[in-house]
Amino acid sequence: MVGTSTATGRWRPVLHDTALWAALSAAGFYAYTDRAAPSLTLDLLLPLSVLAVAVPGSRRRPGAAVFAANALCAVGLAATPPAASPYLLALAALAYLLGVRGTDTGRALLLLGTCVAVDLAVCAVLAVDAVYWFYVLALVPLALLPAWLAGRHRQARLALVHGGWERARVLAEQQRSVAERAGLRERTRIAADVHDSLGHQLSLIALRAGALELSPTLSGQDRADLAGLRADVADAVGHLRETLTVLRADEDAPGTAPRGAFVDAPGTAPAAESVDALVRRAREAGVAAEVHREGEPPLRSPLITRTVHRVVQESLTNAVKHAPGAAVRIHLTHRDDRATVRVTNSPPPEGASPAAPPAPGGGHGLTALRERVQLVGGTLRTGPYGDGGYEVCAVLPDAVGGRRPSDGPYAPQGPDQDPGPLHGLADARRRTRRRFVVAFAVPAALGAVMLVSAALLAHQLTACVLRPADFAGLRTGRTSTELARVLPERQFPYVPDRVADDHPEPPGTVCAFYRSNGNLLEQVDIYRLCYADSRLVAKDVLPGTRRG
């Protein structure tokens, strides 16, 4: 079955090209049988051979195929007598394929213009009648431009369908990637939650156990038990850090969510306790912590409130782990629509041991805290303070989406200040619309001008037709006034010079010319009426073509 489908796909283009060649050749064969004295070689075999090469050749060289079909149309102008080419249909079909298979709009328009220019040059060299100028200026562009525009439209639709399927494939891959990132974000969220809550509690327990070891009322066994308890807590903190390291293993992998992605996720908010309650628990664990306030910050966003809590909690945890016994000062300040949280600790006392030994893979607490602060529009600064101390300082807006401390004078961010990628997308759309106007409106306007010109010429040719029966009823000797009701409203203005030379006007007369029928693309007989002193003195039939 696979081999059969492959063979069918290989032969399908050949079958399509053969069917198209047969359809286009039918028009040429019909014109060949309709001619008075056709030439088998020039009027049938040669054009069909050209089409047999141009149709399959349009797959690789669509421009050359259009030029070959236009050459067949130009050959019709050189025939005796000239005739409208039956291969206009082939020209339109190959122009359509040029629009479907071509890519360069400028080169395609240049090719179409060249085809019309070649036909006009042939008309000028052969000095054909006006009706064939009309044929070149109206019907040839009408076969080229609309067909090419239809092909361009088809190409755009095919590209849109292909792009839609490609977009669907990309979206499916993105959905799988989103699911993977969601799992990684959950792992990161769990690690951050455990670090912020359980790690803080374990550090306080270790600190309290270390303080109880120094109590003078305990026996030696009690001190040994407390030392073992503190060691077990230290081991638990180490195991906890190892677990967090495993949870964060893929955190920095390419394509994963940032470490701060857990901010404001469901279930990650701390318990509903205030900063004062947090500090009170720290004091009960033996931390010398105190809070100082300047102004009462009217924080409107719960997310900002939770962020303040996290800053204080992480600062206390770091102080307990790295500077046990140090005094911790927490300054909460609010002014100018921003809140400042500044936590400082003094150096640890002489001989104080850390509540938990340092472990590899740590240091994620302040990194996650910095990202959390930045996500709500704030800034975080950490570093040494005083003589051996440490400081954590966060500057936060009073509401998410409000003024950002990193904005200098705290001016609100508007779309005009930071256009972002949407502005570039709008520019791309405007450029695409301009290219569309150039590619389609200009040819359409040119075609409209040609159609108007063709309509005017057709009106001129049909408004000067004198019916054969009316011509037969005209009698010499009658005045022009008496004949006015029978004659057309216009005279035929495009009498061929060769006809006038072969049939000179009678001396002393003024002649009027009329067409014998309304056929626009054929050389028809011309009726000539000659007047002397406003009376009809001669009526002649001038043949449209040379006879004999």
Side-chain angles (χ1 to χ4, degrees):
M1 294 296 294
V2 175
T4 303
S5 62
T6 302
T8 303
R10 186 184 305 115
W11 285 100
R12 184 177 292 116
V14 177
L15 296 176
H16 289 173
D17 292 341
T18 302
L20 178 60
W21 175 83
L24 299 179
S25 299
F29 182 77
Y30 175 79
Y32 169 77
T33 59
D34 195 50
R35 292 181 67 88
S39 170
L40 178 62
T41 301
L42 297 179
D43 296 333
L44 185 63
L45 297 181
L46 180 60
L48 298 189
S49 300
V50 172
L51 287 180
V53 175
V55 170
S58 66
R59 294 187 176 275
R60 292 181 175 270
R61 304 289 183 183
V66 171
F67 197 81
N70 183 74
L72 293 179
C73 296
V75 168
L77 298 173
T80 304
S85 176
Y87 299 104
L88 276 178
L89 179 62
L91 183 62
L94 293 175
Y96 171 80
L97 294 179
L98 173 65
V100 172
R101 297 166 179 170
T103 56
D104 193 328
T105 300
R107 294 178 62 181
L109 292 176
L110 179 61
L111 172 65
L112 301 184
T114 302
C115 289
V116 176
V118 168
D119 294 343
L120 291 175
V122 172
C123 289
V125 171
L126 300 178
V128 297
D129 297 333
V131 66
Y132 294 103
W133 288 88
F134 157 77
Y135 159 76
V136 171
L137 290 174
L139 295 186
V140 172
L142 192 61
L144 289 172
L145 282 176
W148 177 76
L149 290 175
R152 291 286 295 177
H153 177 70
R154 174 65 175 169
Q155 183 192 58
R157 286 187 60 84
L158 291 176
L160 181 62
V161 171
H162 176 74
W165 283 110
E166 182 66 18
R167 177 63 175 167
R169 184 188 64 80
V170 172
L171 288 177
E173 293 180 355
Q174 287 180 347
Q175 287 179 348
R176 289 193 294 270
S177 178
V178 166
E180 295 175 358
R181 288 199 301 268
L184 294 176
R185 281 198 301 267
E186 183 65 15
R187 292 172 62 178
T188 303
R189 183 191 66 80
I190 295 173
D193 204 28
V194 170
H195 176 276
D196 291 341
S197 57
L198 185 57
H200 179 73
Q201 295 293 339
L202 288 176
S203 297
L204 292 180
I205 292 173
L207 180 65
R208 179 171 291 184
L212 287 176
E213 279 188 80
L214 302 179
S215 175
T217 61
L218 295 179
S219 64
Q221 182 62 37
D222 292 335
R223 288 190 178 90
D225 292 341
L226 287 174
L229 174 62
R230 190 165 69 90
D232 291 341
V233 172
D235 290 340
V237 172
H239 294 323
L240 176 62
R241 287 176 177 172
E242 293 177 359
T243 303
L244 295 182
T245 301
V246 173
L247 286 176
R248 298 176 190 269
D250 297 327
E251 189 176 347
D252 297 322
T256 60
R259 284 188 293 268
F262 61 84
V263 175
D264 207 29
T268 63
E273 68 171 352
S274 63
V275 172
D276 291 332
L278 177 64
V279 173
R280 185 166 52 253
R281 287 196 298 110
R283 287 174 180 168
E284 293 173 356
V287 179
E290 57 184 29
V291 180
H292 300 274
R293 298 181 183 272
E294 294 183 21
E296 187 63 28
L299 300 178
R300 299 191 297 267
S301 172
L303 181 58
I304 300 298
T305 303
R306 292 197 296 271
T307 304
V308 172
H309 184 281
R310 289 296 194 198
V311 171
V312 176
Q313 185 183 55
E314 180 64 27
S315 301
L316 288 173
T317 302
N318 285 338
V320 168
K321 288 193 298 183
H322 303 293
V328 180
R329 293 180 177 272
I330 303 165
H331 299 266
L332 301 178
T333 307
H334 181 267
R335 63 169 60 95
D336 296 333
D337 297 328
R338 59 173 175 165
T340 302
V341 183
R342 185 165 173 262
V343 182
T344 60
N345 63 267
S346 61
E350 291 291 338
S353 60
H364 289 281
L366 289 179
T367 301
L369 182 63
R370 177 172 286 104
E371 293 179 354
R372 178 190 293 272
V373 170
Q374 290 176 350
L375 284 175
V376 298
T379 59
L380 181 70
R381 185 182 69 255
T382 61
Y385 170 76
D387 188 12
Y390 200 79
E391 177 185 60
V392 176
C393 182
V395 182
L396 305 169
D398 61 353
V400 177
R403 296 182 176 180
R404 298 169 56 93
S406 58
D407 291 338
Y410 314 112
Q413 294 291 314
D416 294 336
Q417 292 173 298
D418 187 15
L422 292 180
H423 183 69
L425 179 60
D427 287 342
R429 287 176 176 172
R430 283 192 292 270
R431 289 193 299 269
T432 301
R433 284 194 293 267
R434 285 195 295 267
R435 286 195 295 266
F436 179 84
V437 170
V438 172
F440 289 92
V442 173
L446 180 60
V449 171
M450 292 181 177
L451 287 177
V452 171
S453 301
L456 292 176
L457 180 58
H459 174 70
Q460 288 182 343
L461 296 180
T462 55
C464 59
V465 175
L466 177 61
R467 294 183 302 171
D470 293 336
F471 177 77
L474 298 179
R475 297 290 181 265
T476 57
R478 303 183 67 177
T479 64
S480 58
T481 303
E482 294 173 337
L483 300 177
R485 60 182 180 85
V486 180
L487 298 178
E489 62 182 31
R490 300 177 61 91
Q491 297 183 27
F492 180 49
Y494 307 114
V495 180
D497 293 337
R498 57 180 174 76
V499 175
D501 294 341
D502 292 345
H503 303 83
E505 299 178 2
T509 62
V510 177
C511 297
F513 299 88
Y514 303 94
R515 300 186 84 224
S516 60
N517 66 59
N519 194 328
L520 300 180
L521 296 180
E522 294 294 339
Q523 290 284 17
V524 301
D525 293 340
I526 299 173
Y527 295 147
R528 183 176 66 181
L529 304 180
C530 296
Y531 299 89
D533 296 331
S534 299
R535 288 188 179 274
L536 181 63
V537 296
K539 48 182 277 190
D540 304 292
V541 179
L542 307 183
T545 60
R546 295 181 184 270
R547 304 188 188 276

